[in-house]
Structures are given as structure tokens and as C-alpha cells.
Amino acid sequence: MSRTRWRYGIAATALLAAAGLVPAPAHAEDATDYAITVDPTAKGAKIDDTMYGVFFEDINRAADGGLYAELVQNRSFEYSTDDNTSYTPLTSWTVDGTGRVVNDDGRLNTRNRNYLSLGAGSSVTNAGYNTGISVEKGKRYDFSVWARAAAGTTLTVTLQDADGSLATARRVAVPQRGWAKYRATFTATRTSSAGRLTVGSDAAAALDMVSLFPRDTYRNEPNGLRKDLAEKIEALHPGFVRFPGGCLVNTGSMADYSEASGYQRKRSYQWKDTVGPVEERATNANFWGYNQSYGLGYYEYFRLAEDIGAMPLPVVPALVTGCGQDKAVDDEALLKRHVQDTLDLIEFANGPVTSEWGEKRARMGHPKPFHLTHIEVGNEENLPEAFFARFKEFRAAIEAKYPGITVVSNSGPDDAGTTFDTAWQLNRDAKVDMVDEHYYNSTQWFLQNNDRYDSYDRNGPKVFLGEYASWGNAFKNGLAEAAYMTGLERNADVVELASYAPLFANEDYVQWQPDLIWFNNHAAWNSANYEVQKLFMNNVGDRVVPSTATGTPSLNGPLTGAVGLSTWATAAAYDDVRVTDADGNELLSDDFSGDASQWTHTGGGSWSLQDGQYVQTDVAAENTMVSAGDPNWHDYDLKVKATKKSGKEGFLVAFGVKDTGNYYWWNLGGWNNTRSAVEQAVDGGKSTLISKPGTIETGRTYDIDVKVRGRQVTLYLDGQEWGSFTDDKPAEPFRQVVTRDKKTGDLIVKVVNAQATAARTAIDLGGAKVASTARVTTLSADANAVNTETETPVAPVRSTFDGVAGEFTYTFPANSVTFLRIKQK
């Protein structure tokens, strides 16, 4: 241990206050000093090369209009109100003259249901994605179309924007014959991100699969990937690629796309729909509110994983829906079909070319196997018993035929709660190999829970942290995630795989934030979170070297804040609000017999007094918060009567309200009225503190009682204790881990300083013989800095440090992630 004296106590609390993490006590003195002690003789957890990976889900138009390089939107005229209520088969198309979309026996094939019937002398123009079709001067673009013309015709194909032509027009002869594929190539004469593709016909013609692809795709593969986006994945050097979902896997119908199912459009993602010739792949409604063409399918995912040297990790449906749908499918024949489909998937990935599905893989251009080793069944199911009964069927079939495959289970949609506990117990009892955990939480939660996996059973199932992120793309979010990742590495014997999620966001089609990589139709940029992930993925090491660091004392002082009422996609009425202090003295009382002047409306929605109640009537509005009282209140009881009038969910009762982004609320009947939880919001990002299944009845009045004592909160529903929690964990801003890179011999000292003050730190390497110079990579920026298309304040800076010794001092900048690579002699 260093002989230097390090000050803590009240001073450390002042540090956290400077970072906005806890209130600062009066007259707190400044202190910024820490100590790290390394034990190079001890052996920590082994870290697998596959530990960090990526998760690709088609959310935020990550596939069509994103990673999939196709430039034409709705190329097969398959858009439908099933995908989005605003869609038609001609969405993104404009017809000049006569043209209509037809669904009849003249179609291209049975799975490609629609085609365009274009009149003589007419044309159709496609608007592409975002601002249009993006082309770059001098680059080549391959056009193709499936067409037929009863009397023969000539197609004229042009590429232009508002300023004129972007390439020389092409004329394509279509002889008198049935469906055939026709091609042409453009070379762009100008750069534009607002192009339009127009196809005109001299005579009547039928068109389908109108396509424009950049020649310059990732690794120049046909039906390929957008180069800049794929290269950003590759630059991470991920150990695995999890795909295709996410909610795409466990929502919608489990039926196939066939005449028997009525060509069901709202289906779960099923792998057989996504392989083979692209014109024969099924279309599907995407859970996130648009269409997915499946041009980017399982074969392309496997190829991507192989190209970047990552392990493929596909996810298949378990016949239990989730993501707010929460229904178990009871159909034994359907279950057997899905189990067989999963066995066929393994054969598609690994089977010899003499096998049925191995031969199909070879026919697509890949005779060698993809070396699949892991497969996940299900995603975030909120019905653990129903899920696990089906999971066991999949696992038994896979282990019987392919005993070398690791079958991954999951623990539901939260980091804690009844569903989580039940799922984990089922997984432990059945000796499951690996369990997938998912959670999205506030920066404070990640700073508080670095020790989450310290207490996990070393002999139980391994953890796959398949989805996690803090709520935001500012550098403070990346700092919190980096601090948490030091705990993941320290527990690499339990947490074998981890992936931030989601991977991509198209800036004009965002359904979910935060996201790792942002893009539009012509550019892509790295979020602050991406830079953190890249730094960790490129400097993993092979084994943890045990180390310790000084930390922060537990929080003290009571939980404080005003009270609030809110709704989420629901109309609800509130009455008889009463707040009293611990001695029973009245702080607030409102029976809404007069006015609502005590309440401040800070959210959305529409509030009014009706029949002596305070009523929110907008069933579409989310977070309609009204608040009342003093932000300095502490040790109080909040009682209120609440009644759901209509809508999707229940009601929300808030306490500890500081402002619009910092509060606690009891969310009763949330998640489409499937469960209730206490959530804490910190700077707008929420974390779940307690979660239980449950629904709220429409028209029934509930008595709600919240008791706040110190930092403990107890909640009562209709006079019965519902749950309690104590919020007293410090949000530790200084975290570290040390690993060893066997190949280079380096000690890698990884330090996160998530506070607004530099941290002067004594580092004791425990007698290790080391070189005097370290290679340093630092991420440092304002905590609120956000990378954009034009500005990248969060970017790695590389340098050297010449003061390394057995014991040395290093000052870690404010708001920083620093990696010191120190060569051992």
C-alpha cells in the first residue's frame, strides 16, 4: 500500500457533490486523491476473447435504410398498414401517369405477393431513405429490376436530384416474355444525398424488386452491407454478434408466411424467411413500426460475423411473446415445428454440403461451415414458467442432436424483481449453461452497481449481458458504462459475454435511444458510448490482475423531494391527496373540491378538475407529471386515491421529486398493464428498484400509501404492504480494473474518473518489474458532450507517460476513461 496519506470522509462526499451525484454538505473541503493497489502475484478471472460483442437488432431502421446497402425504399411494393398505419404499397414511390400495385396470380412468386403494373408512357420514382438516395461522384451503382411486358418494352432509368442529372440515363430492353431480371450500372457524375431513381416504360409493363446498390459494399459482397457502417462494427473487434433481436424475435404471430397462415404479416423473426434468393424472401412487419424486407437475413449475419472474426450468436423464438405482448402460445405442433427449425438452423450454419441445409448454404455461396457454437432461445420473456417449459423442449432437442452447442436462456426484461428471481431460480435448478440478462438504467445505477456480479454463484450458470446501456449518448453515460464495465471484467468468471444495445440509429427514424452508432444516408458517427466500448474491446487482456482502490462511503441524509401524479398512455383520476410528516403534521392536503393551484404541470397530457377529482384525460400522452410540495420534504407519508379511467396502463405516483428529470415513482400497471415497479429517474434516465407482475383494473379506486423514512421507502396498496427499498448505495465515480495481456506482456490499468475534478492517484504495482514508459489512451470531455455528424468532442487521445515505477502517481483527468498499457519486464 502506498505510504501517502489519502483524505476521505466528508471530503469524498464533496467530490460526489461536484459531480452532481449527491448534495454537498456545507463547508465540505476539497479532495481528489485515490490509491490503487495491484497484486501481480495473484490470479484473477480468465477473460475470454469473446467477452465483448455487439447486438444487432433491426430497430431505428438499422437494416433496411441502414446496414443493408440497398438504396431503394419499398423496392418490392410490399409496404402495408400492417407495418405502419401510414403505409401503402406505394409509400416512398411517386407515379407519373398510370400505375397501380397488384396482388394477383401474375406475381413474381408466391412469397413476393405484390408488383407494380405500370401503364405505357408512365414512370415511377423512388425517394430512397432520409433525404433521398445518396451517391458519390465517381462511384458506381448497380441497378436491377424484375420485369415482364406482354408486348415488350424499353425501360428508361434515370438518377437525378432537384439540380438535375446525377448520372447518364440507362435504357433497358425488356423483350416479350415472362418475368426476368434486368441490370444496368450508373457512374455518379455528382455527389448528392437527395437523389431520386426513376423508371419509365414505353409500353405497359410489370415491375418488381426495383433495386439500386452501391458497387462499393463492405468487402464488395453482392446483396451486401453498407461499407462505412460495417467497418465501424469491425473496428470494435467484437468477440460475438448477437442477432436478430430483441423484440423482433418474441413478438407477433409464430405462424409461417404461407397460404395456410393467410400470409401472416405480423410474425416473429423466423430464420427460414430470410435465406435464399432475395426476391423469394418473405416480407414482414417490424415490431418497431416499419417494414423489414429481409434482404439482410441470416446468411448475411453469419457472413458479417465471419468477416469480422466474431462468434455468431443467433436468437430464436421460444413461443412466448414479450415486449408488452406477454402471451404463451399453446400449440404443440407449432412448438415442434419451431424446435425443428432451430435444429435446421444449426445444420444451415454447421452442416456438411451433403446435408439438406448445408447444401442450401453452399448454394448461397458458402460451402464451408460457419462454426456456430452458441444459440439463444427466447428474449426477455415476462412469463418465466411458460417460457422455461418451452425452453426445455428446445434445449433437449439441441443437446440430443448437437451436444457441443451452448443453449442460452434468459432472465426476463429487468435487472431485478419477481420475474427476474423466478427465471433465475428455474435456470439454476435446471443447470442451464448461460443466462441472458437485459437492463437499461440511469447513470447513477451503473455507478452504484459495479459490484453486481461479485456475489453471483461461481458454480452456477454463466451470465450473458446481452443488452445494457445507460439512458443517453452524452459522455456522462459512457463514463457510467465504463465504470460498470470494470466490474464486468473483474467478474469475467461469471460474466462471459456482454454487449451494449442497441447498435445503430438512423437519425431520421429513431424508435429507441440511446444507440451506439448514429447515421443518415451519407454519413455515420461514433457516440461517446461507442468510444468507450471500442477502448474496452480493443484492450481486453487475457486475465484479471487483482487490485483494489479507495472508495466512497455510503450515502447518508434522508431521501428528499416533493410529490407528484402522472399517467402513461392512460386516462386516470386522483383524489384525496394527503402528505404528512413523520409526526402526523399535515404538509399537503387536496380533495380537489376547489382548484388545482397547488399543483404544477411539468409533463404532457391534459389535466382538469372533474366531479371533485383531478383527472388526466389524454390516453395517448406519456409522462403527464404534475407535482406539488417542497423539494426539501423528507420523512413523510403520501396517501392518494387513484382510479384508471381508460387506456393501456395504470397510474404513476411520484415522491422524492426534485425536478422533471429527478424523482421516484411507483408505476402501477406499467408495461401495457402487465407489471408494477418503483423506478428512479436521475437526469431523465430511469432505473427499476422493485418490479412485480400485476395489473390495474379500469374503474376501480385504489388506496396508495408511500412512507418515506430516511432513505427507506415502504409502499402499501389497499392497506397491504406491496414492497420496500432502501436507496443508500453511493454512486462511486472512481472505478478501476487491471488485466494482463499474455500476448504482449502488458499490464493494462483501466481507470474511470466520472467526476468533474481530476483524480491524483497513487498506483502501487505490488513489486511488478515494469518498463518506465506506459502507452496511454484517454477519453476526456465535458460530461454533457455529445458526438454528432460534424463534431466529435469525445475521441481517444494517445500519448506516453514516462513516470512508471513500482509505485508512482498519475493524475486522471476530470470526466475521463484512461487505459495505461505498462510493459512488464
Side-chain angles (χ1 to χ4, degrees):
M1 178 68 84
S2 168
R3 291 184 291 272
T4 309
R5 182 181 177 187
W6 303 105
R7 302 186 306 279
Y8 244 86
I10 294 174
T13 307
L15 261 181
L16 293 176
L21 299 173
V22 296
H27 311 300
E29 66 176 63
D30 240 350
T32 58
D33 294 329
Y34 293 83
I36 297 172
T37 304
V38 183
D39 184 356
T41 63
K43 185 175 286 189
K46 182 181 181 296
I47 307 176
D48 291 336
D49 292 340
T50 54
M51 178 170 183
Y52 293 124
V54 295
F55 165 46
F56 182 93
E57 179 176 6
D58 188 359
I59 185 174
N60 309 316
R61 284 206 184 270
D64 295 332
L67 184 61
Y68 186 48
E70 174 65 75
L71 299 174
V72 175
Q73 184 175 177
N74 190 18
R75 67 183 177 186
S76 193
F77 308 101
E78 296 290 343
Y79 277 25
S80 162
T81 53
D82 285 336
D83 308 322
N84 189 295
T85 55
S86 67
Y87 281 2
T88 76
L90 281 172
T91 293
S92 81
W93 293 97
T94 303
V95 175
D96 184 8
T98 60
R100 62 190 180 93
V101 175
V102 181
N103 180 346
D104 64 16
D105 290 341
R107 63 180 63 89
L108 181 59
N109 59 67
T110 58
R111 290 165 69 81
N112 193 328
R113 307 295 293 169
N114 291 349
Y115 65 94
L116 178 70
S117 176
L118 193 63
S122 300
S123 65
V124 62
T125 298
N126 190 265
Y129 296 93
N130 299 90
T131 55
I133 291 172
S134 179
V135 297
E136 187 177 343
K137 182 179 179 179
K139 294 287 183 72
R140 291 197 291 176
Y141 298 85
D142 293 324
F143 166 83
S144 65
V145 62
W146 283 80
R148 62 175 168 81
T153 189
T154 296
L155 303 179
T156 301
V157 189
T158 60
L159 193 56
Q160 70 285 323
D161 63 10
D163 295 326
S165 175
L166 293 170
T168 302
R170 293 288 182 256
R171 291 176 65 80
V172 177
V174 178
Q176 183 178 347
R177 57 182 293 187
W179 286 107
K181 188 174 184 178
Y182 301 91
R183 296 178 174 87
T185 298
F186 292 97
T187 299
T189 55
R190 288 190 294 113
T191 294
S192 174
S193 60
R196 300 290 188 268
L197 179 75
T198 299
V199 181
S201 182
D202 292 346
L207 307 179
D208 205 349
M209 296 296 291
V210 182
S211 173
L212 188 69
F213 256 87
R215 179 72 59 85
D216 189 17
T217 59
Y218 179 65
R219 302 210 173 194
N220 297 313
E221 291 173 354
N223 194 54
L225 306 181
R226 181 170 148 176
K227 187 176 182 179
D228 60 338
L229 299 186
E231 287 177 344
K232 286 190 179 296
I233 303 174
E234 183 180 47
L236 291 169
H237 295 126
F240 64 87
V241 179
R242 177 178 181 251
F243 61 91
C247 289
L248 303 188
V249 167
N250 67 337
T251 54
S253 168
M254 298 294 162
D256 61 1
Y257 190 66
S258 67
E259 184 177 7
S261 72
Y263 295 99
Q264 175 62 248
R265 284 291 292 266
K266 294 185 176 182
R267 310 183 310 285
S268 63
Y269 195 112
Q270 299 174 45
W271 78 272
K272 288 181 179 178
D273 289 339
T274 76
V275 297
V278 292
E279 68 273 9
E280 296 177 9
R281 298 183 187 182
T283 189
N284 202 3
N286 184 299
F287 173 81
W288 298 107
Y290 52 91
N291 177 271
Q292 48 193 347
S293 71
Y294 289 145
L296 173 56
Y298 258 72
Y299 176 77
E300 289 75 26
Y301 287 128
F302 278 125
R303 285 294 301 265
L304 172 64
E306 180 181 68
D307 286 344
I308 63 178
M311 175 181 79
L313 206 166
V315 187
V316 298
L319 275 74
V320 178
T321 58
C323 301
Q325 296 183 359
D326 298 345
K327 179 182 177 182
V329 180
D330 291 315
D331 185 327
E332 191 63 29
L334 191 59
L335 176 60
K336 289 184 182 299
R337 194 266 288 175
H338 276 266
V339 170
Q340 185 59 51
D341 281 355
T342 302
L343 297 176
D344 292 344
L345 171 59
I346 298 171
E347 183 175 285
F348 178 79
N350 293 350
V353 295
T354 54
S355 66
E356 178 186 358
W357 288 99
E359 189 272 334
K360 292 182 187 296
R361 181 194 69 239
R363 205 180 326 138
M364 292 186 72
H366 202 281
K368 293 182 179 179
F370 284 116
H371 305 295
L372 177 68
T373 60
H374 291 63
I375 194 164
E376 183 172 355
V377 177
N379 170 77
E380 290 189 11
E381 282 71 32
N382 207 32
L383 302 172
E385 291 91 351
F387 160 73
F388 206 76
R390 290 154 181 79
F391 172 84
K392 289 191 293 186
E393 299 262 358
F394 282 86
R395 185 176 69 161
I398 294 168
E399 289 182 343
K401 189 167 184 180
Y402 299 106
I405 298 290
T406 297
V407 186
V408 183
S409 179
N410 76 79
S411 58
D414 295 311
D415 60 88
T418 304
T419 296
F420 178 88
D421 292 340
T422 301
W424 256 106
Q425 191 60 53
L426 290 167
N427 284 308
R428 280 191 292 266
D429 290 347
K431 295 181 169 50
V432 168
D433 289 331
M434 183 173 284
V435 178
D436 188 0
E437 293 188 357
H438 294 178
Y439 39 83
Y440 298 87
N441 286 318
S442 67
T443 53
Q444 177 165 299
W445 187 94
F446 283 99
L447 294 173
Q448 287 176 321
N449 286 280
N450 179 274
D451 63 349
R452 175 179 175 87
Y453 296 106
D454 290 1
S455 59
Y456 271 50
D457 182 1
R458 268 46 204 169
N459 298 311
K462 301 305 180 185
V463 173
F464 172 23
L465 181 49
E467 297 184 33
Y468 74 98
S470 69
W471 290 111
N473 280 137
F475 189 42
K476 63 186 176 185
N477 301 100
L479 287 168
E481 291 152 6
Y484 193 71
M485 292 170 78
T486 65
L488 299 183
E489 290 194 5
R490 188 177 64 252
N491 289 287
D493 56 330
V494 168
V495 184
E496 290 195 344
L497 305 172
S499 51
Y500 179 103
L503 181 60
F504 283 118
N506 187 324
E507 67 172 353
D508 292 333
Y509 308 96
V510 180
Q511 290 86 38
W512 182 278
Q513 296 185 68
D515 305 286
L516 203 63
I517 301 167
W518 287 75
F519 67 93
N520 51 36
N521 69 351
H522 62 278
W525 54 99
N526 304 335
S527 67
N529 319 66
Y530 175 97
E531 295 298 349
V532 166
Q533 293 290 324
K534 183 179 179 181
L535 187 56
F536 274 84
M537 287 192 202
N538 283 270
N539 296 276
V540 180
D542 304 288
R543 187 175 289 279
V544 174
V545 180
S547 60
T548 58
T550 48
T552 302
S554 296
L555 293 176
N556 47 37
L559 187 155
T560 62
V563 299
L565 311 170
S566 189
T567 60
W568 197 285
T570 303
Y574 294 93
D575 202 357
D576 297 334
V577 179
R578 190 164 186 259
V579 182
T580 55
D581 67 18
D583 297 322
N585 300 309
E586 189 171 277
L587 301 175
L588 172 72
S589 180
D590 202 335
D591 64 3
F592 302 109
S593 58
D595 57 31
S597 59
Q598 297 186 83
W599 299 86
T600 301
H601 186 188
T602 57
S606 178
W607 290 86
S608 62
L609 293 175
Q610 297 180 16
D611 301 322
Q613 297 179 312
Y614 202 20
V615 183
Q616 197 294 117
T617 55
D618 187 345
V619 295
E622 299 178 347
N623 191 4
T624 63
M625 179 86 81
V626 291
S627 60
D630 188 337
N632 294 311
W633 279 351
H634 61 87
D635 296 289
Y636 58 78
D637 292 1
L638 163 63
K639 295 184 178 181
V640 60
K641 295 182 183 296
T643 309
K644 174 182 176 178
K645 296 292 191 181
S646 61
K648 296 179 180 179
E649 304 206 346
F651 31 77
L652 301 136
V653 175
F655 53 95
V657 179
K658 296 288 191 184
D659 52 44
T660 56
N662 296 276
Y663 54 84
Y664 303 80
W665 68 19
W666 190 2
N667 186 348
L668 288 148
W671 296 271
N672 286 327
N673 206 11
T674 59
R675 56 192 169 104
S676 299
V678 176
E679 297 177 282
Q680 180 183 13
V682 178
D683 292 335
K686 295 188 190 72
S687 302
T688 300
L689 304 181
I690 317 174
S691 177
K692 297 181 179 182
T695 60
I696 293 298
E697 299 175 26
T698 301
R700 175 183 166 187
T701 297
Y702 292 83
D703 289 317
I704 295 167
D705 185 2
V706 179
K707 295 186 183 299
V708 180
R709 295 293 184 273
R711 301 200 68 82
Q712 182 173 4
V713 178
T714 308
L715 306 107
Y716 297 85
L717 186 63
D718 290 335
Q720 300 297 312
E721 183 173 333
W722 180 87
S724 65
F725 69 93
T726 302
D727 181 19
D728 62 356
K729 292 187 73 173
E732 173 60 71
F734 188 88
R735 295 290 188 186
Q736 59 79 39
V737 70
V738 180
T739 64
R740 178 180 285 112
D741 188 329
K742 183 178 179 182
K743 183 177 180 181
T744 64
D746 291 347
L747 284 177
I748 313 173
V749 180
K750 311 174 187 183
V751 177
V752 181
N753 182 27
Q755 58 193 341
T757 319
R760 183 172 176 270
T761 305
I763 300 175
D764 184 345
L765 297 179
K769 303 298 183 183
V770 294
S772 61
T773 299
R775 289 180 290 132
V776 185
T777 305
T778 306
L779 297 171
S780 182
D782 183 87
N784 294 307
V786 176
N787 287 351
T788 67
E789 180 182 353
T790 57
E791 296 183 355
T792 54
V794 182
V797 174
R798 293 173 179 83
S799 61
T800 57
F801 174 69
D802 295 328
V804 178
E807 295 184 32
F808 66 101
T809 300
Y810 191 93
T811 299
F812 296 97
N815 300 318
S816 66
V817 183
T818 305
F819 280 28
L820 304 171
R821 293 194 71 116
I822 302 170
K823 186 75 68 179
Q824 286 188 278
K825 292 182 179 177

